Amino acid sequence: MKSPGWTAAQWLLCLLFWGIPEPEHCYLYNNRYAGDKVIRLVPETEGEAHVLKNICHQFKVDLWQPSSISYVSEGTVTDVHIPQNGSQILLAFLQQANIQYTVLIADLQKALEKGNSLRVQRNRRSLPGYSYEVYHSLEEIQNWMHHLNKTHPGLIHMFSIGKSYEGRSLFILKLGRRSRAYKRAVWIDCGIHAREWIGPAFCQWFVKEALQTYRSDPAMRKMLNHLYFYIMPVFNVDGYHFSWTNDRFWRKTRSRNSRFRCRGVDANRNWKVNWCDEGASFHPCDDTYCGPFPESEPEVKAVAHFLRKRRKHIRAYLSFHAYAQMLLYPYSYKYAKIPNFSCVESAAYNAVIALHSAYGVRYQHGPASSILYVSSGSSMDWAYKNGIPYAFAFELRDTGHFGFLLPESLIKPTCTETMLAVKNITMHLLKKCH
């Protein structure tokens, strides 16, 4: 079965690129996004916000930001992915209600194909020439992890902490110079939400930079000599795989629900900290579904168990998301100042200054509940509540022009600037302020 609109030459290129066993990659999601649009709205009044909420409920749109329609109020920047078959009616509704909107992406399928045409032109399977400036499938990332485990035994140790709902291994890279048995540690995870591909790209970039600069950069050498880094390049392995093969904009895990056909749980609403309170949904079909109970998802349960056992020596928790250009810290579930606010705020402030120094990109920083929105059951709040004094969530580039389709040409600048922020936080951690 050929993908709609593809020539025989393009099809052959794709099969050569991906390999015969996985031709589903060549279907470009079965042309499912042809004519779809992404629009931006900013309600100017609470009345407009109410109308927008009703329209979104009626048309079952895919909300890109914020993560739930419940967050939409006056002045909320709202990015909406609308299907081709409902776009004319929906846009007519907005015009009739006199709600202004801007088209961010006029044809989602064409935007996807533009990125894909670049990917099929290069074979990324060769590990010695592994490129950190392209997005990689789950299989490629895990092969890369195995390769590093073999080639860098002095700094890398790879292991699994469990299995996903669909039976995939949950691999971790332990990065750091092996010395004394007890060392403080930093946890880094990427890809809790499947469609945020820039997250896993950064986790790989961080490992690459650490290995390449360990001998030449005194700061990196100090980091790896004094700390271990536990790095999980893809947290939501099932969802990430699904975003490559079936639905590019899938967010949740892939667990089944006994009463509903909708699949998956928001892995960043499934943690045992004010579980399923404000900012989370009890409905399995919602993108912010909190799950049937805390840690219902095997991925969340495995990571929580790992962190609990090591919480005495894990000093920082860093989680990477997209998109918004923000550096967030607790609390997310309530409006309150954390006990070690001055230390954490100082670390965040200096981190965004360091990030800005690379390309002039500005990040907001502060408590997630104030800067972004209130959400319960998040990994960041859980980590902080379980004794990890520095807990941060990064929302990487951009602010909506590309959204979840951040071009591969922006991987390098995004990761370069983010690396400066992470190194800054880590060096702050090595001081006495906790």
Side-chain angles (χ1 to χ4, degrees), residues 248-311:
R248 173 62 185 85
F249 305 107
W250 186 258
R251 171 183 165 95
K252 300 188 285 183
T253 62
R254 292 293 298 158
S255 56
R256 292 185 181 275
N257 186 285
S258 59
R259 292 176 53 235
F260 291 84
R261 292 181 64 185
C262 302
R263 291 184 68 164
V265 166
D266 185 341
N268 205 33
R269 300 292 187 280
N270 191 232
W271 298 73
K272 197 171 184 179
V273 54
N274 277 64
W275 175 77
C276 224
D277 205 333
E278 187 175 352
S281 171
F282 276 113
H283 199 292
C285 295
D286 288 345
D287 267 351
T288 54
Y289 174 47
C290 59
F293 53 87
E295 297 181 22
S296 63
E297 303 312 282
E299 302 86 349
V300 173
K301 186 173 184 177
V303 173
H305 177 71
F306 181 87
L307 294 175
R308 269 193 214 100
K309 284 179 66 178
R310 293 159 182 83
R311 60 185 168 189

Side-chain angles (χ1 to χ4, degrees), residues 105-354:
I105 302 175
D107 189 315
L108 206 48
Q109 187 68 30
K110 288 181 179 177
L112 277 167
E113 288 172 357
K114 185 178 179 183
N116 191 80
S117 66
L118 294 173
R119 285 198 289 275
V120 293
Q121 288 172 23
R122 52 181 174 251
N123 188 325
R124 298 167 299 168
R125 289 189 177 273
S126 173
L127 280 170
Y130 193 83
S131 174
Y132 293 89
E133 296 181 38
V134 298
Y135 295 117
H136 288 280
S137 68
L138 180 67
E139 180 189 10
E140 289 170 354
I141 294 171
Q142 292 187 340
N143 286 342
W144 164 81
M145 294 172 78
H146 282 289
H147 177 74
L148 293 186
N149 193 46
K150 289 178 182 177
T151 56
H152 295 82
L155 286 173
I156 292 276
H157 171 57
M158 177 183 175
F159 58 94
S160 172
I161 59 168
K163 298 280 188 181
S164 70
Y165 179 84
E166 294 181 339
R168 295 182 174 88
S169 292
L170 302 173
F171 287 124
I172 308 294
L173 290 178
K174 183 181 181 180
L175 173 64
R177 183 170 172 268
R178 295 178 192 178
S179 53
R180 58 180 180 271
Y182 177 83
K183 274 170 71 171
R184 288 178 295 174
V186 174
W187 169 275
I188 296 176
D189 66 54
C190 300
I192 279 187
H193 294 138
R195 61 192 179 184
E196 299 165 10
W197 286 9
I198 188 60
F202 174 73
C203 266
Q204 294 167 80
W205 187 278
F206 179 87
V207 175
K208 181 263 295 185
E209 283 292 302
L211 295 176
Q212 288 182 356
T213 66
Y214 173 67
R215 296 193 183 281
S216 60
D217 178 8
M220 183 60 74
R221 189 160 55 250
K222 184 175 182 180
M223 286 162 56
L224 297 188
N225 285 348
H226 288 83
L227 297 165
Y228 283 127
F229 290 84
Y230 294 109
I231 299 159
M232 191 175 196
V234 185
F235 185 114
N236 178 7
V237 288
D238 296 344
Y240 186 73
H241 178 74
F242 191 73
S243 76
W244 275 75
T245 58
N246 292 74
D247 182 353
R248 173 62 185 85
F249 305 107
W250 186 258
R251 171 183 165 95
K252 300 188 285 183
T253 62
R254 292 293 298 158
S255 56
R256 292 185 181 275
N257 186 285
S258 59
R259 292 176 53 235
F260 291 84
R261 292 181 64 185
C262 302
R263 291 184 68 164
V265 166
D266 185 341
N268 205 33
R269 300 292 187 280
N270 191 232
W271 298 73
K272 197 171 184 179
V273 54
N274 277 64
W275 175 77
C276 224
D277 205 333
E278 187 175 352
S281 171
F282 276 113
H283 199 292
C285 295
D286 288 345
D287 267 351
T288 54
Y289 174 47
C290 59
F293 53 87
E295 297 181 22
S296 63
E297 303 312 282
E299 302 86 349
V300 173
K301 186 173 184 177
V303 173
H305 177 71
F306 181 87
L307 294 175
R308 269 193 214 100
K309 284 179 66 178
R310 293 159 182 83
R311 60 185 168 189
K312 288 185 179 179
H313 73 277
I314 294 179
R315 299 288 85 195
Y317 172 91
L318 308 178
S319 188
F320 290 85
H321 301 253
Y323 57 95
Q325 294 177 194
M326 295 177 177
L327 176 52
L328 309 170
Y329 55 79
Y331 296 108
S332 185
Y333 73 90
K334 65 179 179 179
Y335 298 105
K337 189 178 284 189
I338 55 178
N340 63 335
F341 171 80
S342 60
C343 289
V344 172
E345 165 61 23
S346 173
Y349 174 80
N350 289 322
V352 298
I353 293 295

Side-chain angles (χ1 to χ4, degrees), residues 327 345-365 394 417 420-421 424:
L327 176 52
E345 165 61 23
S346 173
Y349 174 80
N350 289 322
V352 298
I353 293 295
L355 186 150
H356 179 264
S357 71
Y359 303 101
V361 172
R362 297 191 181 279
Y363 269 52
Q364 293 178 267
H365 76 282
F394 281 79
E417 66 195 11
L420 295 176
N424 202 281

Side-chain angles (χ1 to χ4, degrees), residues 370-408:
S370 304
I371 300 296
L372 193 57
Y373 40 65
V374 173
S375 62
S376 56
S378 74
S379 65
M380 178 184 72
D381 279 349
W382 182 92
Y384 187 77
K385 282 285 193 176
N386 276 268
I388 299 175
Y390 287 90
F392 292 104
F394 281 79
E395 292 283 349
L396 301 178
R397 292 198 197 185
D398 61 359
T399 55
H401 181 74
F402 295 110
F404 300 120
L405 294 182
L406 193 73
E408 290 180 332

